[in-house]
Structure formats: structure tokens, C-alpha cells
């Protein structure tokens, strides 16, 4: 017997532009920047302020949902093994969940069930058709030798080869291939 895909309830009428799947939790971002989370929440990785599993999507930015409203409009997300990371349209990074290895980027190894702001250098990975992107463990402005670089904001315009623009669009040298 084969399993067939089904539409996720509550998201059917929304235009989802990105999905991130962790070990046992999921994140969906809509075209309006809303973040919907569901699944396992053993470490608080859903960012809702508790550790209760969710069997239906819940809006991260809902009032009182573990400070999720502070993330604002989200443009990208990444889901790990018990932790999640979100990138806002203002370039701010937020995280929640498992933190035994410091993966939340908040300066300690304490798990967080509520959304936490992450202090990162003013550099964000810029190497996709969607513009700025985050991935667990990497945060950097990178300009690529393709048409994508022209969609990554003014810091990457006109760059003809793969290089790290660095702060204030100052070239600091070539970066290694992916």
C-alpha cells in the first residue's frame, strides 16, 4: 500500500513560498511572511513558548505565542534536529529549540522554547534565486557569478565573480566553492 500526499489543513488557502522540514517538525512560510509551525516540539523548536507537540499548523507570530510576534515578516527558515532558525525581511535572525551544542547562536547551551534574537555579523548568505537565505551553520554575504547576484541587493550588484563582499560592500577576497 502506497502513501499518498495530502494537503496540510489550515494552509490550503494560503500561498506557501517555502517549506523547511526538521527531524520531526515542519515550518511553512507564506507569501505574506507568516510562519506556520507544527510537529514535534520536545525542545521548543516550534518557537511557541512551550514544549507541547502540535498536530496542526500554528501561527508563530500569533499574540502570546512564545514571543513569535517579534520575528515580523519572515522570508526564509531552516529546521534542524530539534531547532529552528528564521530570517526576517529586515535581515534579523531568530532561533528556538535544542541548544546543547550552541546551535541557537545565543551564547550558551540552554534550550529555548520561545523565539530568541540571534546577534550575527551584518552578513547573510546570498546565493539563491530567492535572494537572501540562511542555512544552519552559515551566515555570510556572498556574491555569485550568475544572474542571481543582481537580485541579492545593492551589495552584490556588478560583481562578476564569486567573492565575499564583506561589510559595506568592501571586497575581502574570493570564497571557496560550495
Amino acid at each position: 500500500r502506497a502513501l499518498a500526499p495530502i494537503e496540510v489543513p489550515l494552509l490550503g488557502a494560503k500561498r506557501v513560498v517555502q517549506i523547511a522540514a526538521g527531524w520531526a517538525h515542519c515550518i511553512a512560510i507564506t507569501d505574506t511572511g507568516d510562519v506556520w509551525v507544527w510537529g514535534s516540539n520536545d525542545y521548543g523548536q516550534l518557537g511557541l513558548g512551550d514544549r507541547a507537540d502540535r498536530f496542526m499548523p500554528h501561527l508563530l507570530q500569533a499574540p502570546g505565542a512564545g514571543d513569535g510576534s517579534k520575528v515580523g515578516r519572515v522570508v526564509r527558515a531552516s529546521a534542524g534536529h530539534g531547532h529552528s532558525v528564521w530570517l526576517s525581511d529586515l535581515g534579523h535572525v531568530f532561533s528556538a529549540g535544542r541548544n546543547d551544542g550552541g546551535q541557537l547562536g545565543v551564547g550558551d547551551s540552554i534550550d529555548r522554547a520561545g523565539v530568541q534574537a540571534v546577534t550575527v555579523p551584518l552578513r547573510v548568505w546570498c546565493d539563491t534565486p530567492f535572494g537572501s537565505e540562511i542555512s544552519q551553520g552559515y551566515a555570510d554575504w556572498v556574491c555569485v557569478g550568475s544572474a542571481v547576484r543582481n537580485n541579492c541587493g545593492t551589495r552584490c550588484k556588478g560583481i562578476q565573480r564569486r567573492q565575499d563582499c564583506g561589510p559595506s560592500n568592501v571586497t575581502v577576497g574570493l570564497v571557496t566553492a560550495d
Side-chain angles (χ1 to χ4, degrees), residues 122-148:
L122 298 176
R123 299 153 61 97
V124 177
W125 182 253
C126 186
D127 191 14
T128 75
F130 308 106
S132 297
E133 180 177 338
I134 56 171
S135 65
Q136 310 271 343
Y138 197 94
D140 202 357
W141 277 101
V142 173
C143 301
V144 295
S146 70
V148 172

Side-chain angles (χ1 to χ4, degrees), residues 1-6:
R1 182 178 124 157
L3 297 175
I6 60 168

Side-chain angles (χ1 to χ4, degrees), residues 8-34:
V8 176
L10 300 177
L11 297 181
K14 301 179 185 328
R15 185 169 183 270
V16 174
V17 296
Q18 192 216 340
I19 294 287
W23 180 256
H25 71 290
C26 296
I27 303 169
I29 300 175
T30 68
D31 60 348
T32 61
D34 287 341

